[in-house]
Amino acid sequence: MPPQSRITCYTAWANVRCSSLSHQLNNVFTDLFTDIHLKSLLESFTGGSPQKLSSLAQHQTKRQLVLQFKLFLGELQKAGIVPQNCNIDCGLISKKNTKSIDDLLWKLIVHDIQFTWERSSQLQLDSDKLICSVCFKWTPMVKSVLKQTRTPLSFFAGLETTLNEAERSSVSSLIESFSLQDIGPFPGREIAKALNKKIPSKGWNYYPSAVECILDLINTHLQIAAKSCKLHAKDFNGLADSHDWCCLVNSFMPGTFIVELLPADRWTTNLALRTMEAIILTSTSFTSRDLLEADSKALCAYMCVIFMCGYKFRQSIAVINCIRELQQIANLLAA
């Protein structure tokens, strides 16, 4: 089995992906071979799964397992999640070969990291209305829902009437910059490109690596939380800094920590880790020791969980604020 830190981080990511399950996975490297975990993971990426992909019972033969994983991989390739030419041996996976399972999971984690990085600029804005403009979701809408869904641009157009002058100008410039309607399984890609100038124009295959995406997200959030000082993480070694972690928490929940008053030690780091997990409603055994000992894949997977769930939290808070604002307007009109 891989190091415990990688099991912990990969499993935390899988639990975010398989959140519809009534119980959490304990070890993604082994739990993929039991119950409906493989089916649930596929549905979280594609919005559905073929009937042939069934619950993986212990009595299944190796041949049946190979067919199930080939079906799983084929659906991911069809959805564009995994490249058609990816070198993944389903035969080795069916034999529970750790390296092959790791390779498969890592490709899926990298996809989520790059997708989250792509959508991050909108979710880092100061305006609650703009944060709400495109729903941040990592499970695609099925075709039957897409037909009934307004495009993000039409949402923007309807949103303009509720914005102040400065916000209205920003939204108008976004609408004018698109000649085509931005709709698909993951609406909002064109808007993301307009907001995030770092997104390569050549397409997904030219996106930064997982490590580069995570470091970019970390440094952006450090600047959001600590505008008066220039915090910067050159590599993952900087993640061991307890004050940086407190700033990351503050970037999602402003004012949580008075960073200058806290000691720079492991106790503070662990406090920040547990606080961040409480905010995003997840729970792992990840500690400050793992920040020092875990490899880059494990750290990327853990930070992927932080940002995926953190942005969901941030958008949820923005929705609540917008609803409250609408209620206040309604009360004034009714008075």
Side-chain angles (χ1 to χ4, degrees), residues 123-143:
L123 299 159
Q124 294 163 358
L125 296 171
D126 292 330
S127 168
D128 287 330
K129 298 183 183 73
L130 294 180
I131 290 175
C132 297
S133 60
V134 180
C135 181
F136 176 57
K137 63 196 304 279
W138 45 81
T139 299
M141 290 184 288
V142 295
K143 292 182 179 179

Side-chain angles (χ1 to χ4, degrees), residues 21 103 118 135 142 152 155 158 162 186 198 200 251-252 277 309-310:
L21 294 174
D103 288 344
E118 176 190 88
C135 181
V142 295
F155 183 95
T162 68
F186 295 100
K198 297 177 185 177
S251 70
F252 288 101
E277 290 186 0
C309 296

Side-chain angles (χ1 to χ4, degrees), residues 93-111:
I93 291 177
S94 68
K95 296 176 182 177
K96 301 184 180 180
N97 179 277
T98 300
K99 184 181 183 304
S100 297
I101 300 170
D102 188 290
D103 288 344
L104 173 61
L105 294 175
W106 176 242
K107 281 180 170 57
L108 301 181
I109 292 168
V110 170
H111 174 276

Side-chain angles (χ1 to χ4, degrees), residues 119-134 156 159 167 170-171 174 191-192 194-196 220-221 224 227 251-252 254 311 314-315 318 321:
R119 301 307 173 97
S120 62
S121 292
Q122 174 216 343
L123 299 159
Q124 294 163 358
L125 296 171
D126 292 330
S127 168
D128 287 330
K129 298 183 183 73
L130 294 180
I131 290 175
C132 297
S133 60
V134 180
F156 268 134
L159 188 68
E167 291 173 333
S170 299
V171 174
L174 278 176
I191 294 170
L195 292 171
N196 187 352
T220 300
H221 277 263
I224 289 174
K227 295 178 181 178
S251 70
F252 288 101
Y311 286 141
R314 197 152 198 253
Q315 193 167 70
N321 290 339

Side-chain angles (χ1 to χ4, degrees), residues 12-252:
W13 165 82
N15 279 324
V16 170
R17 272 290 177 179
C18 301
S19 57
S20 61
L21 294 174
S22 58
H23 60 280
Q24 291 197 319
L25 285 71
N26 295 315
N27 182 339
V28 67
F29 285 86
T30 57
D31 289 348
L32 275 183
F33 297 88
T34 61
D35 205 15
I36 60 169
H37 298 145
L38 189 67
K39 182 182 177 71
S40 177
L41 185 60
L42 177 61
E43 289 176 348
S44 75
F45 274 102
T46 63
S49 63
Q51 292 183 349
K52 292 180 180 179
L53 188 64
S54 57
S55 173
L56 299 185
Q58 292 181 352
H59 64 269
Q60 281 191 316
T61 65
K62 288 184 179 179
R63 181 176 178 278
Q64 288 173 322
L65 277 176
V66 172
L67 292 175
Q68 292 285 285
F69 277 100
K70 282 185 176 179
L71 185 57
F72 175 79
L73 181 59
E75 290 296 314
L76 290 173
Q77 290 173 325
K78 191 187 302 182
I81 307 298
V82 174
Q84 293 289 338
N85 60 349
C86 68
N87 186 23
I88 294 176
D89 192 326
C90 294
L92 289 176
I93 291 177
S94 68
K95 296 176 182 177
K96 301 184 180 180
N97 179 277
T98 300
K99 184 181 183 304
S100 297
I101 300 170
D102 188 290
D103 288 344
L104 173 61
L105 294 175
W106 176 242
K107 281 180 170 57
L108 301 181
I109 292 168
V110 170
H111 174 276
D112 278 352
I113 290 172
Q114 292 175 328
F115 177 77
T116 303
W117 174 80
E118 176 190 88
R119 301 307 173 97
S120 62
S121 292
Q122 174 216 343
L123 299 159
Q124 294 163 358
L125 296 171
D126 292 330
S127 168
D128 287 330
K129 298 183 183 73
L130 294 180
I131 290 175
C132 297
S133 60
V134 180
C135 181
F136 176 57
K137 63 196 304 279
W138 45 81
T139 299
M141 290 184 288
V142 295
K143 292 182 179 179
S144 60
V145 177
L146 277 173
K147 292 179 181 179
Q148 304 171 10
T149 303
R150 290 192 301 165
T151 69
L153 296 187
S154 64
F155 183 95
F156 268 134
L159 188 68
E160 279 191 284
T161 57
T162 68
L163 302 174
N164 60 39
E165 185 175 349
E167 291 173 333
R168 190 179 300 116
S169 176
S170 299
V171 174
S172 296
S173 63
L174 278 176
I175 295 174
E176 292 170 3
S177 67
F178 302 119
S179 58
L180 298 175
Q181 293 227 327
D182 182 19
I183 190 166
F186 295 100
R189 176 155 288 173
E190 295 305 316
I191 294 170
K193 289 178 181 178
L195 292 171
N196 187 352
K197 300 303 181 183
K198 297 177 185 177
I199 296 177
S201 58
K202 293 182 179 180
W204 187 272
N205 293 332
Y206 296 87
Y207 276 34
S209 68
V211 172
E212 290 172 325
C213 287
I214 291 296
L215 285 175
D216 186 57
L217 289 170
I218 289 171
N219 286 319
T220 300
H221 277 263
L222 288 178
Q223 293 307 308
I224 289 174
K227 295 178 181 178
S228 59
C229 56
K230 295 182 178 180
L231 298 178
H232 184 78
K234 294 181 180 180
D235 51 40
F236 281 156
N237 292 329
L239 285 179
D241 190 312
S242 59
H243 285 176
D244 281 2
W245 266 99
C246 290
C247 286
L248 283 175
V249 174
N250 284 348
S251 70
F252 288 101

Side-chain angles (χ1 to χ4, degrees), residues 246-306:
C246 290
C247 286
L248 283 175
V249 174
N250 284 348
S251 70
F252 288 101
M253 181 70 85
T256 302
F257 292 114
I258 303 176
V259 180
E260 296 77 12
L261 300 182
L262 291 171
D265 56 16
R266 287 190 176 187
W267 178 86
T268 302
T269 303
N270 286 324
L271 175 63
L273 287 170
R274 298 289 78 80
T275 302
M276 188 73 241
E277 290 186 0
I279 289 172
I280 63 176
L281 300 178
T282 190
S283 177
T284 74
S285 59
F286 195 84
T287 66
S288 58
R289 183 173 181 176
D290 292 308
L291 287 172
L292 296 171
E293 298 179 356
D295 61 16
S296 61
K297 285 187 174 181
L299 291 173
C300 278
Y302 184 75
M303 296 308 300
C304 180
V305 171
I306 296 299

